Amino acid sequence: MTTTDNTGTTAASAPTAPQLTRFPAGFLWGSATAAYQIEGAVREDGRTPSIWDTFSHTPGKVANGDTGDVAVDHYHRWRDDVRLMADLGLTSYRFSVAWPRVQPTGRGPAVQRGLDFYRGLVDELLAHGIKPMVTLYHWDLPQELESAGGWPERDTAYRFAEYAALVGEALGDRVESWVTLNEPWCSAFLGYGSGVHAPGRTDPTAALRAAHHLNLGHGLATSALRSILPARAGIGISLNPSVVRALTDAPADLDAKRRIDALANRVFTGPILRGAYPEDLIADTARVTDWSFVQDGDTASIHHPLDFLGLNYYTPAVVSGPRGEQDGPRLDGHGASDHSPWPGSDDVVFHHAPGELTAMNWPVDPTGLTDLLLDYTAQAPGVPLYVTENGAAYEDVVDEQGQVHDPDRIRYLHAHLGAIHEAIRQGADVRGYFLWSLLDNFEWAYGYGKRFGAVYVDYATQARIPKSSAAWYAQVARAGGLPAAE
């Protein structure tokens, strides 16, 4: 085909560029990790055990007896990993600080060698044009604090605020985005309720106490950071809200939805966004606790304005009322245990949503992400949102050419990024997306058996092999938009 320009010259026409679904200017294209899952070096430079060190070394707690002792050796390979991020076109990276690397006993002054690691990482990120987002707590409580009672004890919230101040003082001149807690629901209800996460306790009262003291820790840490950080810094929290759907419109199923929404979501959003715990949550859990651990002034300390809100999403929850004895494992997606992570609502039945399953046995349903973002746009008007985790585990293998092709993950990411764009189209102020995860790594109680990374890791050699999805995501990040689905 030829065209004639206004000078009369005939030339071949340029091929039509692929149609892109554009994201807003300045949208952050990121990836996320957690310290215990990637760093290794658990006994170096003054670091002492966290609850995950203790838990993973307890026989029977983690698949195959795996531990995070070495993980993917990021503590020694971080420069190479930052170059990988740059190759992927990332504009932001969310990582967590290991509390016991910075403050080994959970009390007292910081260990400068620990802070130096994060100073170097931040400087390297900035040198590559990658904006750091620091998460202060991604589940690695110093073991000494757990031995003193852990998150069910009020003192832990105060210790967390002191630790937050230490990190804020060290990195506040270079880091503008701060996340206090990652998924406090998991810390409280999987760590102290069902026991499938560290520290592995199975006490429903302790789980609710932990939830409150995590909320209080968020509030106290926010106050501490605001007194230290420059005015330009933003402080938020990353929640993992459940998109709860009733199996039917039957009254019992709708009530099950309400009860799980209270325990999964409103136990945090009540005090954080509205300054009070929901009355129905307190009534639902009355046989577990009287909530006397909530002291005067606590909810005011928790209820600080947020500069942004991080939301982590993987799959919706479909629930119904009691169906008699449950036949088989609880399908809530949170691991197998004889103990429920749902205090006061352990008779609620969970069902798989329709659709294909990932290697985690989680249904793929991107509509839940659109619903989530629109819901929180309504709940927290004026608060910018980030998708601080989203991704999928699949059975990734290295082929004869030394490559890893993961078309299922590409389809998953395309669908979920499309779901974010739809939420933006409907008015959600979503500022960025953080793919979970940058690297294959230690997947908590699943050990090294589940691979979420955009980059494949050979755990025997620590070689990094970017998967097909990494190349696809790099194209999306550089283009600032989604290509048409294949």
Side-chain angles (χ1 to χ4, degrees), residues 169-294:
E169 288 169 351
L171 302 180
D173 61 333
R174 284 161 282 188
V175 175
E176 295 185 2
S177 298
W178 295 80
V179 174
T180 54
L181 305 171
N182 180 80
E183 298 186 354
W185 185 88
C186 294
S187 298
F189 295 100
L190 300 184
Y192 295 93
S194 66
V196 299
H197 278 192
R201 290 161 61 179
T202 54
D203 179 347
T205 303
L208 291 166
R209 290 175 61 93
H212 173 63
H213 295 136
L214 284 155
N215 282 333
L216 182 61
H218 158 75
L220 296 173
T222 298
S223 292
L225 290 171
R226 291 209 191 283
S227 70
I228 293 167
L229 298 178
R232 68 179 185 278
I235 304 170
I237 187 171
S238 285
L239 303 175
N240 60 316
S242 285
V243 177
V244 189
R245 295 168 173 168
L247 182 65
T248 75
D249 289 335
D253 293 357
L254 294 173
D255 189 60
K257 174 184 175 179
R258 178 199 61 75
R259 290 159 65 191
I260 296 304
D261 177 59
L263 279 169
N265 303 326
R266 291 183 286 121
V267 66
F268 300 107
T269 59
I272 291 172
L273 298 181
R274 284 172 281 283
Y277 284 100
E279 292 183 2
D280 64 326
L281 169 68
I282 294 172
D284 290 343
T285 57
R287 62 184 174 87
V288 179
T289 179
D290 62 3
W291 290 79
S292 58
F293 48 81
V294 180

Side-chain angles (χ1 to χ4, degrees), residues 382-395:
V383 178
L385 305 177
Y386 291 90
V387 177
T388 41
E389 282 187 29
N390 173 247
Y394 288 104
E395 303 294 340

